[in-house]
Amino acid sequence: MSGDSASFVRVFHALFSVHTPFRWQCRLFDELAAGRIPLTVTLPTGLGKTSIIPIWLIALAHSADNGLRLPRRLVYIVNRRTVVDQATEDAARILSTLSVLDSDNGPLAQLRKALARLAGGDLQVPLAVSTLRGELADNGEWKKNPARPVIIVGTIDMIGSKLLFSGYGDGRYGRAHHAGLIGQDTLIVHDEAHLSPAFSRLLWKIEREQREANEPRPVRVLELTATSRDDAREDREAVRRLRGAEASADFTLIKEDDADAIVTQRRTASKTLTLQTYDAGKGNLAQAIATKALTYRDSKERILIYVRLPEDAKAIADAIKNPKTGLGKDGDGRVRLLTGTIRGFERDQLANSELFRAFRSDPARPPKLEQALYLVSTSAGEIGADLDADHLVCDLSTLDSMAQRIGRMNRLGGGSRSAKISVVVAPIGDKDPVRPQLEMTGEALRELPAKNDGFDVSPEALSNLLNTDDAKLAFSPPPTILPATDILFDAWALTSITGELPGRPGVEPYLHGVAEWEPPETHVAWRADIGELGRAGVAEDDLAEMLEVFPIRAAERLRDRRDRVQEQLARIAARQNDVKVVLIRNGEPRWVTLAELAPADKTDKAKLNEARRLLSYATVLLPTEVGGLKAGMLDGNEEAPKQHQDLDVAEAALADQLARQRLRVTDDEVKPLLGEQVNTTLVERCRLALAASDSANEDISPATIEYRVAKAESGEPGTRVRLADHSGTVVTTAKRIGAALGLEQPVYEALALAAHWHDSGKNRPIWQRYARKGDSSAPLAKSDRYLHWKALNFYRHEFGSLLDATFGDADGNPVSEVASHAERDLILHLIAAHHGWSRPHFEPMAFDRERPTKDNEAALVEAMQRFARLQRRFGRWGLAWLESLLRCADALASADQNGGGA
């Protein structure tokens, strides 16, 4: 591919089949194609900032032909969005377009071939697209082939936790694996960075740490922002110096961009704001906003309503739907409620509703509706939501929040369209934590240029206001930013040590900062099996295994402030305070009672403080029989429904994406825990007995719950594969990955040797019995069915592999190819760590009992020392990335052998 702008225009147009790219898009491509990445890109709303995704992709393909200068992966980080955003749709559209072959010499064919060369010759699927956020399940494509170009769209919580070796829902195996794949060879695009100062500072700190440690493929951070904040200036400027020639000047619009008619049209889109003082003597604020919104009932337009509090949003939606004083009998179909406290399952239903789609930004949609529609939202629908409403009614919020709200109005401009924005200003309470900022916001809005009977809030006028020093004082106050230190990075990287560890705090405060006006959050989910498991006294270790293979998906959870969650749990506890629930903190589950989380005695400060500590940034998994869910929101007064499916969506939430199922198994029958049909294509991964039994016995005991998942996510191939065949395929795959990535020769060889030895420890009688080898003469690497994991008596096959590669085979024959290799340390660590252990340790229970105790003990100590040496050499994320290469080779080889996991 030619790197000139003309070539870029042809490919861009072929991808999107719309207008030719804007001038600013061509200029940004030129920078990226030259290997220069700006630290910040500042653009007003409506100008297609998510187009940085195809711009990067086309520049990456250019790099494939001209010496790779760009990262292979792009991670586009959005704030805590609860609805579909433009970045996700753009990425999906690109993948769909590339999946349709054009002529051999067409621009898309050339793009696809260039990407395929980067992916190691994978012409069929040379690009992966995955979403790690809110309502969309992770399809896992981003972690299959580390050489393949990847677009990942995710939230601060999902991406940030994985980047810090603490991925939400990740077990020991996934934490370092995901940190390595996201934390190396990646362009991290942080959207609306000025709204997340704590995370912004964290990202710059990570890139600085990686560059100062000379990591193999350090991340490159790019901030998309409307205005800069100074919270991360020191680390950002350090990164600018460390990047050297790779750093580009901060990017923004210039005068020549006005020559693009669409740019001018969107920058000057007509929006008029009026301020309406709320009279507290004439009803409440929610009623005043609903009354104003109802003046548009006959407009046949899209009316968006924003308020700060979820309770106000619910009250407004109810008032507008009121059959007597609101819209009448058809009100339910014309109003939808969106808050950040709605469970993912119900949020999915909202995002897929016709009403919500009517609010989506689409140049081809009809200008008028058949009747007025209303979307009532909290801040959950502010930041980056791809909405384009005709009019807005809202309360007064901080200036950064107001800018986001206004940005959802008349985004495309053009014609005679003009948005009206009515701000209902209520008296500000003395205890309002952002009172000074609200007062300054009101003053700042009154300084905007006058227009008709209000103020001009076109993108151009608003941008001018936002970039003044006074305006920044009206932004929501920045949280207290906790400094992420090298000591903390080291502690988070110790992923084989699970649970709470002194000196290793949870990562949430480092992602968002700490603000007194925003208490910690708590997640809540419901499952029908939890009550039975609790009554049976299932051990917490077994519970952890179940949650690793059958994790809580985003669609199952809702989140709310800790204080509100505790209040609702107290209402449930008033009915059933002794019921067992699961509390998950730092990835580790434990049984607790509702009384522990919501003490009835409000005078016992010690118990109250402990309950608050337990709930902070934790997940509470409730049995369905306690109820507590109404219209997708936590409501402690709501009794349990007759049908568990109304509360338990662990399987239904996955729809056609990743099938899984729970089965109740007895001597007499096998039937689904929920529903009627047994999915016979699934693979059993875990079973929990509801009565005391020998769980290592291969015979299923009465009263057992089985957890089955699709082969693609099971980690089990579903077919029997000989050890020699599997190892050979992993070696071939590892070499292909290493060559595609252009690894240095010693590291390339180390990866191949580690692949050869990684499963050697499976050639033990105890492991072969676990794999039900039977009378087969050749040892197995994969089986179609296994005994319970306890049949291994805690033996870890990778520890056995480590012993083989260190001391030689069982007959004492030394492994000279490993012992004499310059990268011996790396070879041995990759073998030891390929299932998540050896970071830094193994448990003594993992010992190979067929080997001398002294060899086991020596290998145990050396593994910890080796981890420390290699992490100093390659860096935290660099070492994790190298580990991930072997894991990916193992998984790809298993998939090739009719499997789906390592």
Side-chain angles (χ1 to χ4, degrees):
M1 281 181 64
S2 169
D4 60 26
S5 294
S7 175
F8 167 69
V9 170
R10 288 194 299 271
V11 181
F12 188 93
H13 188 270
L15 279 175
F16 290 96
S17 301
V18 286
H19 56 77
T20 56
F22 298 138
R23 283 169 170 79
W24 73 262
Q25 292 168 330
C26 293
R27 287 190 290 109
L28 184 57
F29 166 77
D30 288 340
E31 290 296 297
L32 296 183
R36 297 188 298 269
I37 300 177
L39 276 70
T40 63
V41 173
T42 303
L43 295 169
T45 186
L47 291 189
K49 61 186 176 181
T50 58
S51 65
I52 193 170
I53 295 174
I55 294 171
W56 158 80
L57 188 67
I58 299 168
L60 177 67
H62 166 70
S63 295
D65 292 335
N66 297 275
L68 187 62
R69 292 188 288 260
L70 289 177
R72 294 168 186 264
R73 289 184 290 278
L74 182 142
V75 173
Y76 194 101
I77 298 178
V78 297
N79 206 292
R80 299 182 187 186
R81 295 185 190 169
T82 54
V83 293
V84 178
D85 61 78
Q86 191 63 48
T88 300
E89 291 204 335
D90 280 356
R93 187 182 300 116
I94 292 169
L95 181 60
S96 176
T97 303
L98 284 176
S99 299
V100 180
L101 294 174
D102 62 353
S103 66
D104 289 344
N105 296 316
L108 292 184
Q110 295 303 311
L111 174 63
R112 191 164 41 247
K113 289 176 182 177
L115 298 177
R117 285 194 291 277
L118 289 171
D122 188 352
L123 185 59
Q124 293 301 313
V125 192
L127 174 70
V129 172
S130 294
T131 300
L132 305 180
R133 51 156 257 253
E135 71 279 1
L136 296 178
D138 175 13
N139 62 13
E141 289 296 319
W142 65 279
K143 53 190 176 184
K144 288 186 177 179
N145 180 356
R148 180 170 59 171
V150 174
I151 300 167
I152 305 171
V153 181
T155 59
I156 288 174
D157 293 279
M158 291 298 290
I159 299 295
S161 65
K162 291 182 184 300
L163 195 56
L164 294 181
F165 297 87
S166 307
Y168 296 154
D170 291 344
R172 179 185 292 107
Y173 175 87
R175 289 182 176 182
H177 184 43
H178 297 164
L181 289 175
I182 289 177
Q184 293 280 281
D185 204 10
T186 302
L187 171 61
I188 298 180
V189 179
H190 182 197
D191 194 7
E192 305 288 0
H194 59 288
L195 300 178
S196 308
F199 191 60
S200 174
R201 182 170 175 180
L202 176 65
L203 288 178
W204 292 121
K205 178 68 173 177
I206 287 173
E207 181 173 354
R208 180 178 182 178
E209 284 278 324
Q210 291 188 358
R211 290 186 176 275
E212 290 177 343
N214 293 313
E215 297 207 2
R217 313 233 171 147
V219 298
R220 274 168 270 189
V221 177
L222 185 157
E223 290 190 339
L224 291 175
T225 179
T227 182
S228 63
R229 298 179 85 150
D230 295 334
D231 308 282
R233 173 174 292 182
E234 179 182 346
D235 288 321
R236 183 171 58 243
E237 293 309 311
V239 166
R240 193 187 302 276
R241 293 191 301 272
L242 290 165
R243 281 193 195 178
E246 294 179 3
S248 174
D250 292 341
F251 190 93
T252 189
L253 296 184
I254 58 178
K255 188 172 181 58
E256 71 178 48
D257 293 316
D258 291 334
D260 287 319
I262 296 180
V263 170
T264 301
Q265 172 182 304
R266 295 182 182 178
R267 290 179 67 180
T268 60
S270 178
K271 309 181 191 186
T272 304
L273 179 144
T274 58
L275 298 166
Q276 172 186 324
T277 302
Y278 157 62
D279 185 349
K282 296 182 178 179
N284 59 39
L285 174 64
Q287 186 59 54
I289 291 176
T291 300
K292 179 63 179 178
L294 283 167
T295 62
Y296 294 106
R297 73 175 77 202
D298 299 321
S299 67
K300 298 184 178 181
E301 293 177 310
R302 302 158 185 85
I303 316 304
L304 189 51
I305 299 168
Y306 280 119
V307 285
R308 294 168 59 198
L309 302 177
E311 50 266 38
D312 283 343
K314 186 177 185 305
I316 291 167
D318 290 342
I320 295 175
K321 289 189 293 185
N322 189 292
K324 294 183 179 179
T325 59
L327 293 177
K329 60 182 180 180
D330 65 342
D332 282 344
R334 296 170 61 186
V335 183
R336 287 290 184 274
L337 175 65
L338 171 63
T339 75
T341 60
I342 294 177
R343 187 173 63 166
F345 183 72
E346 285 74 18
R347 196 171 56 235
D348 293 351
Q349 294 177 319
L350 166 64
N352 292 322
S353 68
E354 289 195 14
L355 182 144
F356 190 81
R357 287 197 293 270
F359 279 81
R360 300 295 304 280
S361 177
D362 181 1
R365 72 182 188 184
K368 289 289 184 179
L369 302 167
E370 294 183 3
Q371 56 187 348
L373 299 178
Y374 292 82
L375 180 62
V376 186
S377 178
T378 60
S379 60
E382 287 181 3
I383 302 175
D386 183 28
L387 304 176
D388 181 14
D390 298 302
H391 304 298
L392 167 66
V393 183
C394 64
D395 60 6
L396 183 66
S397 188
T398 57
L399 187 56
D400 49 333
S401 172
M402 293 300 300
Q404 292 296 320
R405 296 173 174 185
I406 295 167
R408 307 310 123 207
M409 300 296 110
N410 191 14
R411 298 184 69 188
L412 304 180
S416 58
R417 191 177 176 208
S418 181
K420 295 179 181 178
I421 297 158
S422 303
V423 183
V424 181
V425 182
I428 305 171
D430 292 338
K431 295 183 179 180
D432 195 313
V434 291
R435 176 175 180 172
Q437 288 75 25
L438 293 176
E439 292 174 341
M440 285 185 278
T441 296
E443 295 173 6
L445 293 175
R446 291 181 176 88
E447 294 298 320
L448 285 160
K451 180 178 180 181
N452 300 329
D453 294 329
F455 304 96
D456 179 11
V457 284
S458 65
E460 190 169 57
L462 194 58
S463 179
N464 292 335
L465 170 64
L466 293 176
N467 284 296
T468 63
D469 291 336
D470 289 344
K472 293 175 184 178
L473 298 175
F475 282 17
S476 56
T480 299
I481 298 177
L482 305 181
T485 65
D486 55 350
I487 295 175
L488 285 173
F489 290 141
D490 285 341
W492 287 322
L494 300 176
T495 54
S496 62
I497 303 176
T498 57
E500 297 189 20
L501 178 69
R504 185 174 68 180
V507 301
E508 293 87 350
Y510 295 85
L511 303 180
H512 300 288
V514 178
E516 292 182 4
W517 64 93
E518 291 184 348
E521 290 184 337
T522 305
H523 290 241
V524 182
W526 289 258
R527 283 197 178 169
D529 48 332
I530 293 301
E532 291 185 271
L533 298 179
R535 289 188 290 274
V538 168
E540 290 172 350
D541 284 347
D542 290 334
L543 196 62
E545 182 203 3
M546 180 272 286
L547 289 171
E548 184 159 352
V549 302
F550 209 91
I552 302 171
R553 300 297 188 189
E556 298 180 69
R557 296 192 306 262
L558 62 78
R559 62 179 176 85
D560 206 340
R561 287 173 24 165
R562 177 192 64 194
D563 55 332
R564 288 201 288 250
V565 170
Q566 191 170 40
E567 178 185 349
Q568 299 306 320
L569 292 180
R571 294 177 181 178
I572 298 175
R575 303 192 303 268
Q576 307 183 57
N577 73 332
D578 59 343
V579 68
K580 280 187 176 182
V581 304
V582 179
L583 180 76
I584 306 171
R585 287 177 52 84
N586 298 316
E588 297 298 308
R590 55 177 284 197
W591 291 110
V592 298
T593 63
L594 282 174
E596 291 178 73
L597 302 179
D601 184 359
K602 304 304 180 186
T603 64
D604 191 331
K605 300 300 182 183
K607 285 186 177 180
L608 286 173
N609 288 335
E610 175 62 8
R612 293 188 186 104
R613 185 190 72 82
L614 291 175
L615 286 172
S616 297
Y617 308 114
T619 296
V620 180
L621 185 54
L622 299 172
T624 51
E625 55 260 37
V626 305
L629 184 75
K630 183 177 182 180
M633 302 175 74
L634 184 62
D635 186 338
N637 294 323
E638 188 72 6
E639 297 280 355
K642 293 182 179 179
Q643 299 296 325
H644 286 302
Q645 289 93 328
D646 294 341
L647 278 176
D648 185 333
V649 294
E651 295 155 12
L654 297 177
D656 297 327
Q657 298 184 55
L658 294 173
R660 58 184 188 173
Q661 191 171 41
R662 291 157 295 177
L663 302 176
R664 185 188 306 281
V665 180
T666 67
D667 287 337
D668 300 323
E669 63 178 348
V670 176
K671 65 178 183 179
L673 191 67
L674 302 176
E676 298 178 358
Q677 299 298 319
V678 175
N679 187 339
T680 58
T681 66
L682 302 181
V683 178
E684 176 200 329
R685 282 301 313 281
C686 174
R687 62 179 182 266
L688 300 178
L690 300 179
S693 65
D694 178 10
S695 57
N697 192 305
E698 63 181 271
D699 297 323
I700 299 174
S701 64
T704 297
I705 296 181
E706 277 189 16
Y707 296 83
R708 297 185 179 182
V709 299
K711 293 179 181 179
E713 66 166 340
S714 70
E716 307 296 352
T719 190
R720 295 164 77 85
V721 180
R722 294 189 308 171
L723 181 57
D725 293 340
H726 176 67
S727 297
T729 305
V730 176
V731 170
T732 300
T733 307
K735 288 180 176 179
R736 187 174 75 242
I737 290 172
L741 290 169
L743 296 180
E744 296 179 357
Q745 188 64 25
V747 175
Y748 170 86
E749 294 171 358
L751 178 62
L753 283 169
H756 175 75
W757 287 97
H758 81 289
D759 271 353
S760 171
K762 289 182 177 178
N763 192 12
R764 303 287 193 275
I766 190 171
W767 201 95
Q768 292 299 311
R769 177 179 176 273
Y770 162 69
R772 300 174 186 257
K773 174 190 169 188
D775 296 331
S776 173
S777 58
L780 297 176
K782 306 288 179 182
S783 182
D784 54 349
R785 192 161 178 247
Y786 296 83
L787 299 180
H788 192 280
W789 62 270
K790 289 184 179 179
L792 288 169
N793 197 21
F794 300 101
Y795 167 67
R796 294 300 316 178
H797 76 270
E798 62 270 35
F799 191 74
S801 303
L802 174 64
L803 290 168
D804 287 352
T806 302
F807 300 109
D809 60 26
D811 297 325
N813 300 313
V815 186
S816 58
E817 59 186 357
V818 175
S820 62
H821 200 280
E823 292 292 350
R824 177 180 180 273
D825 261 7
L826 180 59
I827 296 167
L828 295 178
H829 177 72
L830 295 183
I831 293 169
H834 82 272
H835 273 285
W837 288 92
S838 200
R839 296 187 57 84
H841 81 314
F842 282 95
E843 297 286 354
M845 294 183 294
F847 278 8
D848 181 356
R849 292 164 181 81
E850 296 188 15
R851 291 278 189 163
T853 300
K854 65 180 180 63
D855 287 356
N856 280 277
E857 291 175 342
L860 188 74
V861 173
E862 179 64 15
M864 291 187 282
Q865 295 173 340
R866 183 185 303 115
F867 168 74
R869 290 195 300 268
L870 289 170
Q871 186 160 270
R872 283 195 300 271
R873 177 183 165 197
F874 291 106
R876 305 170 188 89
W877 291 270
L879 180 59
W881 177 68
L882 291 171
E883 294 169 21
S884 74
L885 304 186
L886 178 58
R887 289 194 183 102
C888 289
D890 194 5
L892 285 170
S894 297
D896 288 344
Q897 295 167 325
N898 192 31

